[in-house]
Amino acid sequence: MIRLFVPDDLAAGSPVTLSAAQAHYLRDVMRRATGDDVALFNGRDGEWLSTIASIERKAVGVIPKRRTREQTPGVDLELVVALVKRARLETIVEKATELGVHRVRLAVTRFTQAERTNVERLTAIAVEAAEQTGRLDVPEVMGPAKLEAILKGWPADRALIFCDEAGDAPPILEAVTAPRERSRSGPGAEVESSARPLIRPGIRPATFSHEGRRAPTSGAVATSILIGPEGGFSAEERAFIRALSTVIPVSLGPRILRADTAAIAALSLWQAALGDWRP
Amino acid sequence: MIRLFVPDDLAAGSPVTLSAAQAHYLRDVMRRATGDDVALFNGRDGEWLSTIASIERKAVGVIPKRRTREQTPGVDLELVVALVKRARLETIVEKATELGVHRVRLAVTRFTQAERTNVERLTAIAVEAAEQTGRLDVPEVMGPAKLEAILKGWPADRALIFCDEAGDAPPILEAVTAPRERSRSGPGAEVESSARPLIRPGIRPATFSHEGRRAPTSGAVATSILIGPEGGFSAEERAFIRALSTVIPVSLGPRILRADTAAIAALSLWQAALGDWRP
């Protein structure tokens, strides 16, 4: 079943006109015809089984028939990633979408070479990935801002997982899971994040309601994951980041990872340990 | 420091002649000159701080000075991945190398469209990724074989983590960690992999010695991770895979992942929970 993201409200019987690109895709690439089914979603109204009502040269009309999935809140997981080369940035946005992030924020850091990127193109990649992965929403891609500006006034209730290449941070899985497990099993006391109250075992995944309010799940931990550029962070940046009260420095193993690998690994680990991959 | 993989034996004072491609890279791309340092590794003799002794038009000679890292065994982690499109397969080989796999095996399955790939090019990608990521060896890339042939006579002491999209497998992190944790916390009894003895909490990472013997670490679990094509496995293939005695079916969350995302996520999870990302 082809899934398409549309900006329109979705309700039974209310016709929706697809974009020219979607019309081309349905008609010329996928060879769909009047009467065929597609699924529509808009990030607000769930997923709708819909029927192609008309196919013109430039316009395709689709009519929602029946809601097949209710809109559910996603996890409040954000990726803050330094501007890296275009191909890797595109990979990161595609994968972050598949891995359920709520938002991708692009950061200009000391060692990034670029200050701008094509946010429109990255958003199009997020839309396509959301359609393919079965999400009911599309993550927001926020255009580049200086890292300092992003971190200034960091919310006291948002954990910042800092993927730190410098080598003295605890392994990510230890850092984000049970301190009691670690202290029970012995030498966990030196793990600096073990005492932080924001990441606890047995919490419910942090959720985000699509009306902009935090969903009222107890113990929810809104989280951002910070990935640096391939040259790493400067000493000043590291000091600034590690001074934040909600920071959780983590290490991603003994090898040097490219930025896209680090982003995918950290997001997967978070989803598996604390997010919507849990049973 | 530039790191280069060479096939030659490495010993103090024994000159090594680099390949034409490496010579071009050092001379024309990185602008190195006689007397500059590079690091060499060959998968057997550790890493050697070496000096460029001569730069000719086609040949660059390098002399190892001093071993800076001892060769250490890597984890016995293998990726078995269906032939997917070229760009994604190249991403998978690059990332699998960064994530420390010992070997990548390419599988032809019911829903793969290709039967061949350029193994030489994939190996070159693995070499480059190994140089960049700081490994002391290069993972082997094994040319395509039918999935059936790969699974026939599967070793009884090698776990096969089966990333199963069909939806009824337990979450990967539960499946590969402590069964006692899960039975203690309640409804873990129905998790079919919980009783399997091959994956246990507290084990030492599975290791592989570079002489081809399994390193004698107690509790070591050699593991392969199986990733299907984007169309998934056929019903027959799924039945065959799930009938293997060492199979551990796992799920990678509620969204559909592309093959490269699934491979990176599963490898990261294994390294974090059982492999060399552990403290």
Side-chain angles (χ1 to χ4, degrees):
Chain A
M1 172 75 71
I2 294 171
R3 302 179 78 244
L4 295 173
F5 175 79
V6 294
D8 315 62
D9 289 337
L10 295 172
S14 294
V16 169
T17 301
L18 300 183
S19 71
Q22 290 172 325
H24 166 70
Y25 173 73
L26 272 190
R27 191 187 50 219
D28 305 327
V29 181
M30 302 306 288
R31 308 270 173 179
R32 289 302 191 275
T34 303
D36 286 348
D37 285 341
V38 297
L40 301 182
F41 66 104
N42 63 6
R44 304 181 302 275
D45 300 320
E47 184 172 281
W48 287 77
L49 178 65
S50 309
T51 305
I52 299 174
S54 62
I55 294 211
E56 310 280 323
R57 232 181 70 78
K58 288 273 176 192
V60 169
V62 178
I63 298 183
K65 283 193 295 195
R66 164 168 79 75
R67 176 151 39 199
T68 46
R69 288 168 66 194
E70 289 290 327
Q71 191 75 34
T72 49
V75 293
D76 189 352
L77 175 61
E78 176 185 83
L79 178 67
V80 181
V81 62
L83 279 185
V84 291
K85 280 188 192 158
R86 192 172 64 87
R88 291 195 191 271
L89 204 53
E90 292 182 0
T91 300
I92 288 171
V93 169
E94 177 185 291
K95 300 326 188 189
T97 304
E98 293 175 54
L99 296 169
V101 306
H102 170 64
R103 185 169 43 229
V104 178
R105 298 177 78 166
L106 305 172
V108 176
T109 73
R110 176 78 178 74
F111 296 132
T112 49
Q113 271 122 34
E115 299 219 347
R116 58 188 64 236
T117 183
N118 188 340
V119 173
E120 211 169 297
R121 165 133 180 86
L122 293 177
T123 300
I125 288 171
V127 168
E128 198 183 316
E131 291 171 344
Q132 174 270 328
T133 202
R135 284 175 68 140
L136 295 175
D137 60 350
V138 174
E140 180 187 10
V141 179
M142 282 180 73
K146 292 221 150 103
L147 180 67
E148 261 190 316
I150 292 174
L151 298 182
K152 200 181 287 178
W154 189 260
D157 60 352
R158 172 171 282 277
L160 181 70
I161 296 181
F162 170 37
C163 298
D164 190 0
E165 291 177 318
D168 58 344
I172 182 166
L173 195 55
E174 316 293 308
V176 303
T177 50
R180 60 181 160 81
E181 293 298 319
R182 276 174 291 136
S183 45
R184 203 192 296 149
S185 61
E190 81 280 7
V191 180
E192 65 173 301
S193 70
S194 67
R196 294 193 187 277
L198 283 175
I199 298 282
R200 298 196 309 274
I203 60 166
R204 299 298 311 145
T207 58
F208 180 89
S209 85
H210 287 270
E211 287 74 45
R213 294 175 289 101
R214 190 84 41 80
T217 52
S218 80
V221 178
T223 299
S224 300
I225 291 177
L226 174 60
I227 303 285
E230 308 229 320
F233 290 102
S234 72
E236 292 75 20
E237 286 172 333
R238 286 191 67 237
F240 188 72
I241 296 163
R242 292 191 76 144
L244 291 171
S245 69
T246 65
V247 73
I248 299 168
V250 303
S251 117
L252 296 173
R255 287 168 295 277
I256 297 162
L257 304 185
R258 290 198 182 272
D260 50 353
T261 317
I264 301 167
L267 293 171
S268 306
L269 261 295
W270 190 89
Q271 285 286 23
L274 302 165
D276 67 15
W277 290 20
R278 297 201 303 157
Chain B
M1 172 75 71
I2 294 171
R3 302 179 77 244
L4 295 173
F5 174 80
V6 294
D8 315 60
D9 289 338
L10 295 173
S14 294
V16 168
T17 302
L18 301 183
S19 71
Q22 290 172 326
H24 165 70
Y25 173 73
L26 272 190
R27 191 188 50 218
D28 304 327
V29 181
M30 303 306 289
R31 310 270 173 179
R32 289 302 191 272
T34 303
D36 286 347
D37 284 341
V38 296
L40 301 183
F41 66 104
N42 63 5
R44 303 181 302 274
D45 299 321
E47 184 173 281
W48 287 77
L49 178 66
S50 309
T51 304
I52 299 175
S54 61
I55 292 211
E56 310 281 322
R57 231 180 71 76
K58 289 271 176 193
V60 170
V62 178
I63 298 182
K65 284 193 295 194
R66 158 168 83 75
R67 176 151 37 201
T68 46
R69 288 168 66 195
E70 287 290 326
Q71 192 75 34
T72 49
V75 293
D76 189 352
L77 175 62
E78 176 184 85
L79 178 67
V80 181
V81 62
L83 279 185
V84 292
K85 281 188 190 155
R86 192 173 64 88
R88 291 194 192 273
L89 204 53
E90 293 182 358
T91 300
I92 288 171
V93 169
E94 177 184 292
K95 300 325 188 190
T97 304
E98 294 175 53
L99 295 169
V101 305
H102 169 62
R103 184 168 46 228
V104 177
R105 298 177 76 168
L106 306 172
V108 176
T109 73
R110 176 77 179 76
F111 296 133
T112 49
Q113 270 121 35
E115 299 219 347
R116 60 187 63 236
T117 184
N118 187 340
V119 173
E120 211 169 294
R121 164 131 181 88
L122 293 177
T123 300
I125 289 171
V127 168
E128 198 182 315
E131 291 171 344
Q132 173 270 326
T133 201
R135 285 174 67 141
L136 294 175
D137 60 350
V138 174
E140 180 187 9
V141 179
M142 283 180 72
K146 291 221 151 107
L147 180 66
E148 260 189 317
I150 292 174
L151 298 182
K152 200 181 284 178
W154 189 259
D157 59 351
R158 172 171 281 276
L160 181 70
I161 295 181
F162 169 37
C163 298
D164 190 0
E165 292 176 318
D168 58 342
I172 182 166
L173 196 55
E174 316 292 308
V176 304
T177 49
R180 62 182 159 80
E181 293 298 321
R182 277 173 288 137
S183 46
R184 202 194 297 148
S185 60
E190 80 283 6
V191 180
E192 65 172 301
S193 70
S194 66
R196 295 192 186 278
L198 284 174
I199 299 284
R200 297 195 311 274
I203 61 168
R204 300 297 313 146
T207 58
F208 180 90
S209 85
H210 287 270
E211 288 73 44
R213 293 172 290 100
R214 190 81 42 80
T217 50
S218 79
V221 177
T223 299
S224 300
I225 291 177
L226 174 61
I227 302 286
E230 308 230 320
F233 291 102
S234 72
E236 293 73 21
E237 286 172 333
R238 286 191 66 236
F240 188 72
I241 296 163
R242 292 190 75 144
L244 291 170
S245 70
T246 65
V247 74
I248 299 167
V250 303
S251 117
L252 296 172
R255 286 167 296 276
I256 297 162
L257 303 184
R258 290 198 181 273
D260 49 353
T261 318
I264 301 166
L267 292 171
S268 305
L269 260 295
W270 191 90
Q271 285 286 24
L274 303 165
D276 66 17
W277 290 20
R278 296 200 303 156

